[in-house]
């Protein structure tokens, strides 16, 4: 197996693990807003952005077809989820009342992760 294909598969596994970290905590503990959950989700969102870009690069380098519009939509969803989680972390750190609660931000981030799954699966 070529080294670039091994890299692509490793990135794909990490991409799935990032997705699990982004969505999993909200599905398992939807009513809780503890710090470890927020950190796990934030890490998952960052992994999604990084590995998604790596997967695009690995596919292009191997000459595989990449649907540009689909990748732009998935990247936008991943960056939006990451942004919501950064806002949730900042809001928790500042301890100031804000217009948007941390649960709303984490729910939104998880929802964007699910939307990215739908785009990945349905868009052919």
């Amino acid at each position: 197996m070529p080294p670039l294909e091994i890299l692509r598969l490793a990135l794909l596994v990490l991409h799935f693990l990032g997705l699990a970290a982004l969505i999993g905590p909200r599905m398992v503990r939807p009513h809780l807003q503890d710090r470890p959950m927020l950190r796990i989700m934030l890490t998952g969102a960052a992994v999604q952005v990084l590995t998604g870009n790596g997967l695009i690069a690995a596919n292009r380098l191997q000459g595989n077809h990449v649907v540009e519009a689909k990748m732009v939509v998935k990247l936008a969803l991943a960056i939006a989820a990451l942004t919501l989680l950064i806002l949730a972390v900042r809001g928790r750190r500042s301890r100031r009342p804000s217009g948007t609660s941390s649960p709303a931000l984490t729910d939104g981030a998880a929802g964007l992760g699910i939307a990215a799954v739908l785009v990945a699966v349905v868009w052919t």
Side-chain angles (χ1 to χ4, degrees):
M1 186 178 296
L4 199 51
E5 180 62 7
I6 293 170
L7 174 63
R8 187 189 70 80
L9 293 173
L11 286 170
L12 186 60
V13 169
L14 290 172
H15 196 65
F16 287 143
L17 293 173
L19 178 65
L22 173 60
I23 297 172
R26 292 307 295 151
M27 295 181 84
V28 174
R29 300 175 66 167
H31 61 286
L32 297 178
Q33 285 299 310
D34 54 5
R35 281 178 205 224
M37 183 181 74
L38 194 53
R39 288 184 187 146
I40 291 168
M41 290 181 74
L42 181 61
T43 301
V47 167
Q48 285 277 281
V49 171
L50 295 173
T51 58
N53 283 309
L55 283 165
I56 293 168
N59 277 310
R60 283 185 181 151
L61 289 171
Q62 291 185 83
N64 297 336
H65 177 68
V66 176
V67 180
E68 299 295 328
K70 178 180 177 179
M71 296 304 108
V72 169
V73 169
K74 286 193 66 191
L75 180 60
L77 291 169
I79 290 172
L82 181 60
T83 301
L84 289 178
L85 291 165
I86 289 169
L87 291 172
V89 168
R90 289 188 66 202
R92 181 170 291 274
R93 284 185 183 162
S94 69
R95 294 190 177 159
R96 286 179 282 160
S98 63
T100 307
S101 67
S102 182
L105 294 171
T106 54
D107 285 348
L112 290 168
I114 292 169
V117 170
L118 290 171
V119 168
V121 172
V122 175
W123 191 329
T124 55

